[in-house]
Amino acid sequence: MGSLKGLNPEEAAFAQHLRDLREDLGMSSTEIVQWLKENAPEARVDASRLSRFLSGASLPQPPLLPALHRLLAERGAVDPERVREGWNLLYAAAQTKGPLIAREYKEQALRIALEEERVRTAQELASLREEITHERERREALEGSLSEVFDQPSGTHQQVRDLEEELEDVSRRIEELEDLVGQHEALLRLQRADAERAGRALRETTAEIEVWQRTGGIPWTDDPAAIARAVAAFRDEGEDEQADRLLSLAARDLPVTALPELYAAFAKISRPLEPNRLSHAISMQRKAKDLLELTWPIARDPKSDVPPTLTPWASQVLLAAGRWAPARELILLTRLLAETGRGDHRQHLIAGLRQRKEDLDEIAASEEFHPSDLPQTTTPAPRTDPDPDPAGPKRRWFRT
């Protein structure tokens, strides 16, 4: 992997941390990259990038660290202290790139932590609801047993007392669980708000970085062909982060009418991967109305019976929108497709949606999609049927 000489101490320390993680995993770089592609695509790592991270030539984006820690957890115990050490080393290395870059890294890490916290809360909530269902079934069974004892001449006072005590214990437990469910539901709402605030802060920081970079080496132009050539030049030099940032700027700032020219420019210089990356960036940054305009079908001869069709990149944008677009824009885009007579193009959104991992509850709540269109990872809806109030009047069982 080469020497770490020539790097500043912070960059060398983080690169060494990554090397130690690789050694502890006991896997080759090829095996690690393959696992990351299958299990943590958000880390966006290929063999070339991993080599650059291990050599200290560039810093990975924050999603790589939790992915490696998760992989390590699958192969053995992970020391929480070491996890904290990894984040601290990454922050220190990012700080050497300047305060704006350091802020971006911290905000990305915060967003990751908030999303992980939301997942844990949702899992705990699902477990609590399952336990409530079980306890309610127990309560029903106990009440039935008490009724049987009461009706049987051979029933004893001791049997009644034992069953009553057990029934009271179950009722108390149901009260506790219902309180915990209410708290977890409130916590999820707060965590969702926290994640939205963190997302806004990250977007604002990213925007400031882009403004700074426009005067610091990023060759910005409104000419799609020139942008395509500049992105390709960055890739050829191994400057993938610069290429991605330029692509993100183009996806956000070019007029919608110019974006098809950028797709064509990448095709002209034989860069088949860039349209996928461009579609990803567009889906995350553009409004629903822009996505609708960008993906409008190719016009056909009015005399022809052949229906209008989408360009390959238009279906690609819809697919990316299903997977990556903010939930609000995805829901609005779905409605706009229906209102403009393009309901059949929802199939591309749905194909992407089935790979989605975030905002599924909000999307499901919109009722724009059939439950079968969604991944089976949404939080189960709370019960709406009325249940007996465990705090209500108690049934007393006794024999005379």
Side-chain angles (χ1 to χ4, degrees):
M1 286 184 287
S3 170
L4 296 177
K5 290 181 179 179
L7 300 175
N8 63 49
E10 292 82 4
E11 290 173 328
F14 181 71
Q16 186 60 55
H17 178 76
L18 288 181
R19 292 183 179 197
D20 292 342
L21 284 177
R22 178 183 179 278
E23 184 176 344
D24 291 346
L25 286 169
M27 299 169 66
S28 67
S29 294
T30 302
E31 291 171 331
I32 292 174
V33 167
Q34 185 60 36
W35 186 92
L36 290 169
K37 284 183 177 179
E38 294 174 359
N39 299 277
E42 70 279 3
R44 301 172 63 191
V45 175
D46 54 25
S48 174
R49 287 187 179 186
L50 183 60
S51 176
R52 291 176 65 80
F53 300 153
L54 292 169
S55 69
S58 61
L59 284 179
Q61 290 298 301
L64 177 64
L65 265 188
L68 289 177
H69 292 148
R70 192 164 77 248
L71 174 56
L72 193 60
E74 290 182 4
R75 303 174 73 86
V78 176
D79 180 4
E81 187 58 39
R82 194 172 182 203
V83 172
R84 284 192 292 272
E85 178 193 13
W87 283 115
N88 290 336
L89 289 172
L90 179 58
Y91 295 152
Q95 191 70 46
T96 66
K97 307 296 184 183
L100 264 181
I101 302 299
R103 177 186 172 93
E104 181 188 32
Y105 271 74
K106 286 193 174 183
E107 288 177 348
Q108 285 198 50
L110 173 61
R111 195 175 185 188
I112 290 168
L114 288 171
E115 289 302 329
E116 290 176 344
E117 193 176 74
R118 285 175 67 189
V119 169
R120 285 194 297 271
T121 302
Q123 289 171 340
E124 291 170 4
L125 179 57
S127 296
L128 288 168
R129 285 175 173 158
E130 186 177 344
E131 188 178 350
I132 279 182
T133 299
H134 175 69
E135 292 298 323
R136 284 172 176 161
E137 290 171 353
R138 279 187 63 200
R139 181 173 63 187
E140 239 178 82
L142 286 169
E143 288 176 343
S145 297
L146 277 169
S147 181
E148 290 175 7
V149 170
F150 181 74
D151 292 338
Q152 292 174 1
S154 59
T156 67
H157 287 287
Q158 186 60 47
Q159 285 179 303
V160 171
R161 281 195 296 271
D162 290 345
L163 287 170
E164 273 196 327
E165 287 177 6
E166 190 174 353
L167 180 59
E168 289 178 359
D169 289 341
V170 169
S171 295
R172 277 195 298 270
R173 179 57 182 160
I174 290 174
E175 289 179 5
E176 293 170 359
L177 289 170
E178 288 176 335
D179 179 68
L180 288 172
V181 164
Q183 290 194 47
H184 277 71
E185 288 173 340
L187 185 58
L188 268 180
R189 290 193 293 272
L190 291 171
Q191 289 171 342
R192 186 178 297 113
D194 288 342
E196 289 172 356
R197 283 192 291 269
R200 285 196 298 273
L202 177 58
R203 288 192 294 273
E204 290 169 1
T205 299
T206 301
E208 290 295 338
I209 288 174
E210 289 168 354
V211 170
W212 162 68
Q213 286 178 330
R214 286 187 186 183
T215 59
I218 293 287
W220 176 249
T221 171
D222 289 334
D223 179 8
I227 293 173
R229 290 193 297 270
V231 169
F234 278 134
R235 299 277 185 223
D236 292 343
E237 294 297 324
E239 296 291 341
D240 288 322
E241 291 180 13
Q242 293 284 72
D244 290 340
R245 288 193 177 113
L246 180 53
L247 205 59
S248 179
L249 280 173
R252 190 193 70 183
D253 292 348
L254 277 180
V256 174
T257 53
L259 288 171
E261 297 178 40
L262 184 53
Y263 280 102
F266 282 128
K268 188 173 182 179
I269 61 175
S270 301
R271 294 286 173 155
L273 297 182
E274 298 306 335
N276 287 325
R277 296 173 177 133
L278 178 59
S279 297
H280 181 188
I282 288 171
S283 71
M284 295 182 69
Q285 299 183 93
R286 289 285 186 166
K287 296 289 186 183
K289 61 183 180 62
D290 295 337
L291 298 177
L292 184 73
E293 180 182 350
L294 179 60
T295 61
W296 204 260
I298 299 173
R300 292 286 185 180
D301 184 343
K303 299 178 182 179
S304 171
D305 293 333
V306 179
T309 59
L310 295 177
T311 62
W313 50 262
S315 56
Q316 192 181 84
V317 169
L318 291 173
L319 180 73
R323 186 171 184 183
W324 303 108
R328 180 180 179 279
E329 300 303 326
L330 173 60
I331 293 166
L332 179 55
L333 177 58
T334 304
R335 293 172 184 165
L336 291 176
L337 287 174
E339 289 176 6
T340 55
R342 295 177 55 193
D344 55 328
H345 294 154
R346 282 165 44 98
Q347 61 180 313
H348 303 291
L349 286 179
I350 292 168
L353 180 57
R354 287 174 178 162
Q355 304 175 60
R356 196 178 184 102
K357 297 181 180 178
E358 297 180 350
D359 304 320
L360 294 174
D361 288 337
E362 182 178 350
I363 293 168
S366 72
E367 299 184 350
E368 292 292 333
F369 295 93
H370 189 273
S372 63
D373 297 333
L374 300 166
Q376 298 302 308
T377 54
T378 52
T379 303
R383 288 180 56 166
T384 56
D385 52 304
D387 289 302
D389 183 359
K394 294 183 179 178
R395 297 172 65 180
R396 302 299 300 173
W397 302 88
F398 58 92
R399 294 185 61 81
T400 57

mmCIF file of all heavy atoms in Angstrom, residues 173-201:
data_model
loop_
_atom_site.group_PDB
_atom_site.id
_atom_site.type_symbol
_atom_site.label_atom_id
_atom_site.label_comp_id
_atom_site.label_asym_id
_atom_site.label_seq_id
_atom_site.Cartn_x
_atom_site.Cartn_y
_atom_site.Cartn_z
ATOM 1 N N ARG A 173 -49.004 -4.240 32.670
ATOM 2 C CA ARG A 173 -47.974 -4.298 31.627
ATOM 3 C C ARG A 173 -48.481 -3.657 30.336
ATOM 4 O O ARG A 173 -47.732 -2.941 29.658
ATOM 5 C CB ARG A 173 -47.569 -5.755 31.362
ATOM 6 C CG ARG A 173 -46.510 -5.917 30.273
ATOM 7 C CD ARG A 173 -45.262 -5.127 30.583
ATOM 8 N NE ARG A 173 -44.265 -5.234 29.537
ATOM 9 C CZ ARG A 173 -43.272 -4.387 29.356
ATOM 10 N NH1 ARG A 173 -43.144 -3.325 30.151
ATOM 11 N NH2 ARG A 173 -42.396 -4.572 28.390
ATOM 12 N N ILE A 174 -49.753 -3.846 30.007
ATOM 13 C CA ILE A 174 -50.320 -3.229 28.801
ATOM 14 C C ILE A 174 -50.293 -1.711 28.937
ATOM 15 O O ILE A 174 -49.959 -0.988 27.988
ATOM 16 C CB ILE A 174 -51.746 -3.743 28.549
ATOM 17 C CG1 ILE A 174 -51.703 -5.219 28.122
ATOM 18 C CG2 ILE A 174 -52.443 -2.914 27.481
ATOM 19 C CD1 ILE A 174 -53.058 -5.867 27.988
ATOM 20 N N GLU A 175 -50.627 -1.210 30.132
ATOM 21 C CA GLU A 175 -50.572 0.239 30.362
ATOM 22 C C GLU A 175 -49.160 0.762 30.146
ATOM 23 O O GLU A 175 -48.957 1.809 29.512
ATOM 24 C CB GLU A 175 -51.033 0.564 31.788
ATOM 25 C CG GLU A 175 -52.523 0.369 32.018
ATOM 26 C CD GLU A 175 -52.916 0.679 33.466
ATOM 27 O OE1 GLU A 175 -52.019 1.127 34.222
ATOM 28 O OE2 GLU A 175 -54.068 0.482 33.819
ATOM 29 N N GLU A 176 -48.176 0.038 30.695
ATOM 30 C CA GLU A 176 -46.772 0.455 30.535
ATOM 31 C C GLU A 176 -46.373 0.461 29.059
ATOM 32 O O GLU A 176 -45.728 1.396 28.580
ATOM 33 C CB GLU A 176 -45.846 -0.497 31.310
ATOM 34 C CG GLU A 176 -46.000 -0.419 32.813
ATOM 35 C CD GLU A 176 -45.234 -1.545 33.522
ATOM 36 O OE1 GLU A 176 -44.606 -2.374 32.816
ATOM 37 O OE2 GLU A 176 -45.263 -1.586 34.764
ATOM 38 N N LEU A 177 -46.772 -0.590 28.338
ATOM 39 C CA LEU A 177 -46.408 -0.695 26.924
ATOM 40 C C LEU A 177 -47.072 0.402 26.099
ATOM 41 O O LEU A 177 -46.441 0.986 25.204
ATOM 42 C CB LEU A 177 -46.818 -2.072 26.379
ATOM 43 C CG LEU A 177 -45.999 -3.262 26.881
ATOM 44 C CD1 LEU A 177 -46.662 -4.566 26.465
ATOM 45 C CD2 LEU A 177 -44.566 -3.191 26.351
ATOM 46 N N GLU A 178 -48.334 0.717 26.405
ATOM 47 C CA GLU A 178 -49.012 1.775 25.661
ATOM 48 C C GLU A 178 -48.351 3.123 25.905
ATOM 49 O O GLU A 178 -48.254 3.957 24.998
ATOM 50 C CB GLU A 178 -50.494 1.814 26.038
ATOM 51 C CG GLU A 178 -51.267 0.624 25.470
ATOM 52 C CD GLU A 178 -52.709 0.609 25.912
ATOM 53 O OE1 GLU A 178 -53.005 1.192 26.983
ATOM 54 O OE2 GLU A 178 -53.543 0.003 25.205
ATOM 55 N N ASP A 179 -47.885 3.327 27.132
ATOM 56 C CA ASP A 179 -47.151 4.560 27.425
ATOM 57 C C ASP A 179 -45.845 4.613 26.637
ATOM 58 O O ASP A 179 -45.488 5.647 26.064
ATOM 59 C CB ASP A 179 -46.868 4.650 28.928
ATOM 60 C CG ASP A 179 -46.083 5.902 29.282
ATOM 61 O OD1 ASP A 179 -46.648 7.010 29.161
ATOM 62 O OD2 ASP A 179 -44.905 5.780 29.669
ATOM 63 N N LEU A 180 -45.129 3.475 26.590
ATOM 64 C CA LEU A 180 -43.868 3.430 25.842
ATOM 65 C C LEU A 180 -44.092 3.620 24.349
ATOM 66 O O LEU A 180 -43.291 4.279 23.671
ATOM 67 C CB LEU A 180 -43.160 2.090 26.097
ATOM 68 C CG LEU A 180 -42.539 1.916 27.485
ATOM 69 C CD1 LEU A 180 -42.043 0.481 27.672
ATOM 70 C CD2 LEU A 180 -41.380 2.897 27.674
ATOM 71 N N VAL A 181 -45.174 3.051 23.826
ATOM 72 C CA VAL A 181 -45.489 3.233 22.407
ATOM 73 C C VAL A 181 -45.716 4.714 22.114
ATOM 74 O O VAL A 181 -45.207 5.260 21.129
ATOM 75 C CB VAL A 181 -46.735 2.403 22.006
ATOM 76 C CG1 VAL A 181 -47.302 2.876 20.670
ATOM 77 C CG2 VAL A 181 -46.377 0.931 21.918
ATOM 78 N N GLY A 182 -46.491 5.379 22.975
ATOM 79 C CA GLY A 182 -46.736 6.806 22.782
ATOM 80 C C GLY A 182 -45.456 7.618 22.800
ATOM 81 O O GLY A 182 -45.264 8.523 21.982
ATOM 82 N N GLN A 183 -44.552 7.270 23.733
ATOM 83 C CA GLN A 183 -43.281 7.989 23.807
ATOM 84 C C GLN A 183 -42.429 7.741 22.564
ATOM 85 O O GLN A 183 -41.786 8.655 22.039
ATOM 86 C CB GLN A 183 -42.517 7.562 25.060
ATOM 87 C CG GLN A 183 -43.135 8.053 26.358
ATOM 88 C CD GLN A 183 -42.183 7.898 27.523
ATOM 89 O OE1 GLN A 183 -41.018 8.250 27.439
ATOM 90 N NE2 GLN A 183 -42.690 7.360 28.620
ATOM 91 N N HIS A 184 -42.391 6.492 22.102
ATOM 92 C CA HIS A 184 -41.592 6.175 20.908
ATOM 93 C C HIS A 184 -42.158 6.854 19.669
ATOM 94 O O HIS A 184 -41.391 7.308 18.804
ATOM 95 C CB HIS A 184 -41.527 4.653 20.699
ATOM 96 C CG HIS A 184 -40.473 3.979 21.517
ATOM 97 N ND1 HIS A 184 -40.568 3.842 22.883
ATOM 98 C CD2 HIS A 184 -39.289 3.408 21.159
ATOM 99 C CE1 HIS A 184 -39.491 3.211 23.332
ATOM 100 N NE2 HIS A 184 -38.702 2.934 22.305
ATOM 101 N N GLU A 185 -43.484 6.938 19.567
ATOM 102 C CA GLU A 185 -44.078 7.633 18.419
ATOM 103 C C GLU A 185 -43.700 9.111 18.437
ATOM 104 O O GLU A 185 -43.374 9.695 17.393
ATOM 105 C CB GLU A 185 -45.592 7.461 18.446
ATOM 106 C CG GLU A 185 -46.050 6.047 18.099
ATOM 107 C CD GLU A 185 -47.538 5.838 18.298
ATOM 108 O OE1 GLU A 185 -48.155 6.637 19.046
ATOM 109 O OE2 GLU A 185 -48.078 4.882 17.725
ATOM 110 N N ALA A 186 -43.740 9.717 19.625
ATOM 111 C CA ALA A 186 -43.330 11.125 19.745
ATOM 112 C C ALA A 186 -41.846 11.280 19.425
ATOM 113 O O ALA A 186 -41.436 12.239 18.752
ATOM 114 C CB ALA A 186 -43.629 11.633 21.160
ATOM 115 N N LEU A 187 -41.044 10.315 19.901
ATOM 116 C CA LEU A 187 -39.602 10.369 19.650
ATOM 117 C C LEU A 187 -39.309 10.278 18.156
ATOM 118 O O LEU A 187 -38.442 10.992 17.633
ATOM 119 C CB LEU A 187 -38.905 9.231 20.400
ATOM 120 C CG LEU A 187 -37.372 9.205 20.344
ATOM 121 C CD1 LEU A 187 -36.788 10.498 20.882
ATOM 122 C CD2 LEU A 187 -36.834 8.003 21.129
ATOM 123 N N LEU A 188 -40.038 9.421 17.460
ATOM 124 C CA LEU A 188 -39.835 9.311 16.009
ATOM 125 C C LEU A 188 -40.148 10.630 15.300
ATOM 126 O O LEU A 188 -39.445 11.027 14.365
ATOM 127 C CB LEU A 188 -40.715 8.198 15.446
ATOM 128 C CG LEU A 188 -40.104 6.803 15.339
ATOM 129 C CD1 LEU A 188 -41.128 5.836 14.758
ATOM 130 C CD2 LEU A 188 -38.848 6.810 14.488
ATOM 131 N N ARG A 189 -41.212 11.305 15.758
ATOM 132 C CA ARG A 189 -41.541 12.602 15.147
ATOM 133 C C ARG A 189 -40.421 13.606 15.382
ATOM 134 O O ARG A 189 -40.046 14.366 14.478
ATOM 135 C CB ARG A 189 -42.868 13.122 15.707
ATOM 136 C CG ARG A 189 -44.088 12.333 15.257
ATOM 137 C CD ARG A 189 -45.374 13.066 15.585
ATOM 138 N NE ARG A 189 -45.607 13.164 17.020
ATOM 139 C CZ ARG A 189 -46.243 12.246 17.752
ATOM 140 N NH1 ARG A 189 -46.699 11.144 17.162
ATOM 141 N NH2 ARG A 189 -46.431 12.412 19.044
ATOM 142 N N LEU A 190 -39.893 13.630 16.599
ATOM 143 C CA LEU A 190 -38.797 14.548 16.901
ATOM 144 C C LEU A 190 -37.547 14.198 16.098
ATOM 145 O O LEU A 190 -36.847 15.085 15.596
ATOM 146 C CB LEU A 190 -38.480 14.498 18.402
ATOM 147 C CG LEU A 190 -39.549 15.076 19.336
ATOM 148 C CD1 LEU A 190 -39.219 14.758 20.786
ATOM 149 C CD2 LEU A 190 -39.659 16.586 19.138
ATOM 150 N N GLN A 191 -37.263 12.904 15.995
ATOM 151 C CA GLN A 191 -36.078 12.483 15.243
ATOM 152 C C GLN A 191 -36.218 12.808 13.761
ATOM 153 O O GLN A 191 -35.237 13.156 13.102
ATOM 154 C CB GLN A 191 -35.848 10.984 15.444
ATOM 155 C CG GLN A 191 -35.361 10.642 16.847
ATOM 156 C CD GLN A 191 -35.335 9.147 17.108
ATOM 157 O OE1 GLN A 191 -35.971 8.371 16.394
ATOM 158 N NE2 GLN A 191 -34.612 8.738 18.130
ATOM 159 N N ARG A 192 -37.443 12.700 13.242
ATOM 160 C CA ARG A 192 -37.673 13.073 11.841
ATOM 161 C C ARG A 192 -37.395 14.562 11.653
ATOM 162 O O ARG A 192 -36.765 14.968 10.669
ATOM 163 C CB ARG A 192 -39.099 12.737 11.442
ATOM 164 C CG ARG A 192 -39.379 12.953 9.959
ATOM 165 C CD ARG A 192 -40.799 12.552 9.586
ATOM 166 N NE ARG A 192 -41.015 11.128 9.806
ATOM 167 C CZ ARG A 192 -41.827 10.622 10.722
ATOM 168 N NH1 ARG A 192 -42.509 11.434 11.516
ATOM 169 N NH2 ARG A 192 -41.984 9.337 10.841
ATOM 170 N N ALA A 193 -37.863 15.369 12.611
ATOM 171 C CA ALA A 193 -37.605 16.814 12.529
ATOM 172 C C ALA A 193 -36.114 17.104 12.635
ATOM 173 O O ALA A 193 -35.574 17.961 11.924
ATOM 174 C CB ALA A 193 -38.375 17.543 13.633
ATOM 175 N N ASP A 194 -35.420 16.382 13.538
ATOM 176 C CA ASP A 194 -33.964 16.552 13.668
ATOM 177 C C ASP A 194 -33.266 16.227 12.349
ATOM 178 O O ASP A 194 -32.356 16.942 11.922
ATOM 179 C CB ASP A 194 -33.410 15.632 14.766
ATOM 180 C CG ASP A 194 -33.800 16.089 16.165
ATOM 181 O OD1 ASP A 194 -34.186 17.265 16.313
ATOM 182 O OD2 ASP A 194 -33.717 15.268 17.101
ATOM 183 N N ALA A 195 -33.691 15.130 11.718
ATOM 184 C CA ALA A 195 -33.061 14.713 10.460
ATOM 185 C C ALA A 195 -33.310 15.750 9.363
ATOM 186 O O ALA A 195 -32.421 16.034 8.552
ATOM 187 C CB ALA A 195 -33.601 13.352 10.038
ATOM 188 N N GLU A 196 -34.513 16.325 9.355
ATOM 189 C CA GLU A 196 -34.813 17.345 8.343
ATOM 190 C C GLU A 196 -33.959 18.586 8.561
ATOM 191 O O GLU A 196 -33.440 19.169 7.600
ATOM 192 C CB GLU A 196 -36.297 17.706 8.403
ATOM 193 C CG GLU A 196 -37.212 16.604 7.876
ATOM 194 C CD GLU A 196 -38.671 16.895 8.124
ATOM 195 O OE1 GLU A 196 -38.965 17.939 8.778
ATOM 196 O OE2 GLU A 196 -39.523 16.101 7.686
ATOM 197 N N ARG A 197 -33.793 18.993 9.837
ATOM 198 C CA ARG A 197 -32.940 20.158 10.120
ATOM 199 C C ARG A 197 -31.489 19.872 9.728
ATOM 200 O O ARG A 197 -30.805 20.728 9.159
ATOM 201 C CB ARG A 197 -33.033 20.528 11.606
ATOM 202 C CG ARG A 197 -34.304 21.257 11.980
ATOM 203 C CD ARG A 197 -34.218 21.847 13.371
ATOM 204 N NE ARG A 197 -34.210 20.813 14.385
ATOM 205 C CZ ARG A 197 -35.299 20.324 14.972
ATOM 206 N NH1 ARG A 197 -36.491 20.780 14.616
ATOM 207 N NH2 ARG A 197 -35.212 19.402 15.901
ATOM 208 N N ALA A 198 -31.027 18.658 10.052
ATOM 209 C CA ALA A 198 -29.652 18.291 9.698
ATOM 210 C C ALA A 198 -29.472 18.276 8.189
ATOM 211 O O ALA A 198 -28.432 18.690 7.667
ATOM 212 C CB ALA A 198 -29.304 16.924 10.290
ATOM 213 N N GLY A 199 -30.500 17.790 7.485
ATOM 214 C CA GLY A 199 -30.436 17.769 6.025
ATOM 215 C C GLY A 199 -30.354 19.170 5.441
ATOM 216 O O GLY A 199 -29.582 19.429 4.510
ATOM 217 N N ARG A 200 -31.167 20.091 6.000
ATOM 218 C CA ARG A 200 -31.124 21.475 5.517
ATOM 219 C C ARG A 200 -29.755 22.099 5.769
ATOM 220 O O ARG A 200 -29.196 22.783 4.906
ATOM 221 C CB ARG A 200 -32.216 22.305 6.202
ATOM 222 C CG ARG A 200 -33.612 22.048 5.684
ATOM 223 C CD ARG A 200 -34.569 23.144 6.111
ATOM 224 N NE ARG A 200 -34.706 23.227 7.552
ATOM 225 C CZ ARG A 200 -35.570 22.520 8.271
ATOM 226 N NH1 ARG A 200 -36.382 21.676 7.670
ATOM 227 N NH2 ARG A 200 -35.642 22.648 9.570
ATOM 228 N N ALA A 201 -29.204 21.862 6.969
ATOM 229 C CA ALA A 201 -27.886 22.412 7.295
ATOM 230 C C ALA A 201 -26.819 21.874 6.352
ATOM 231 O O ALA A 201 -25.946 22.616 5.884
ATOM 232 C CB ALA A 201 -27.525 22.080 8.745
#
